[in-house]
Amino acid sequence: MQRFPENTLIAVHIVATLVICWLGMMAIHEAGHVLAGWSTGGSVSKVVLHPLAISRTDLSHNPRPWIVVWGGPLFGTALPAVLWLIARGLKLPAEPWFRFFAGFCWIANGAYIGFGSLDRIGDAGDMLRHGSEIWDLWLFGAITIPAGLWLWHGTGRYFGLGREGKTPSRQLVLI
């Protein structure tokens, strides 16, 4: 059986984690739009999830667009945090991964909304069109991005980084 060099295992583990985090973040963010749409009497006509594009949820009937547009980033930060807290409370071995994922979702949603407000792209543009003030979006980013970085703090060692870095097992990387 061929042995993979330590650096290769670390690199593959990091890339795979980032890809999984990106796809998971988009799915949870869009689920927030879908749940908000359904809960306000809307009708979801299409959800687009593609790894190389910005995801989106289209509603054919949207009686509460402000709630629906905020549902994505709010659910997209709340659910990963709850999952991490559950993993932490249960002392699951995968707790550091859940913490990293929660941080990823907080940073991604915060950057998308906060910086997206500058060009009025995607959800940020919709939020502004439906009555949110630009400072609401900046405040969301100002809270979630540092919180995400805080969640990331110390997780590098589980990905083989730093002096105390633990090289991931071949089995973990393959999974």
Side-chain angles (χ1 to χ4, degrees):
M1 187 180 290
Q2 182 179 0
R3 188 175 187 296
F4 289 95
E6 181 177 317
N7 289 344
T8 301
L9 286 173
I10 292 169
V12 170
H13 185 228
I14 290 170
V15 169
T17 298
L18 291 174
V19 169
I20 290 168
C21 286
W22 178 256
L23 296 173
M25 179 275 302
M26 287 195 310
I28 292 171
H29 178 101
E30 295 310 320
H33 290 309
V34 169
L35 293 171
W38 287 342
S39 69
T40 59
S43 300
V44 176
S45 60
K46 185 178 189 179
V47 176
V48 176
L49 290 173
H50 190 282
L52 301 177
I54 293 180
S55 58
R56 75 173 198 277
T57 299
D58 298 334
L59 277 74
S60 56
H61 175 66
N62 189 357
R64 305 292 296 256
W66 185 86
I67 293 172
V68 172
V69 75
W70 275 101
L74 292 175
F75 189 73
T77 52
L79 181 61
V82 167
L83 293 174
W84 166 60
L85 290 172
I86 290 169
R88 183 177 170 194
L90 295 174
K91 297 182 183 357
L92 297 179
E95 181 272 332
W97 187 90
F98 282 99
R99 182 179 176 134
F100 182 88
F101 178 63
F104 184 95
C105 291
W106 281 60
I107 293 167
N109 278 282
Y112 176 53
I113 300 306
F115 294 116
S117 69
L118 302 175
D119 286 334
R120 298 175 178 263
I121 61 167
D123 288 348
D126 291 342
M127 290 170 174
L128 294 169
R129 279 189 291 284
H130 294 297
S132 294
E133 298 293 332
I134 198 163
W135 66 266
D136 295 329
L137 284 65
W138 293 347
L139 181 62
F140 183 80
I143 292 170
T144 57
I145 295 170
L149 292 171
W150 175 81
L151 284 166
W152 273 1
H153 183 71
T155 60
R157 67 179 176 265
Y158 298 102
F159 296 92
L161 303 174
R163 284 187 298 247
E164 298 176 14
K166 300 174 184 175
T167 302
S169 69
R170 183 173 183 259
Q171 292 79 15
L172 174 64
V173 172
L174 291 174
I175 290 172

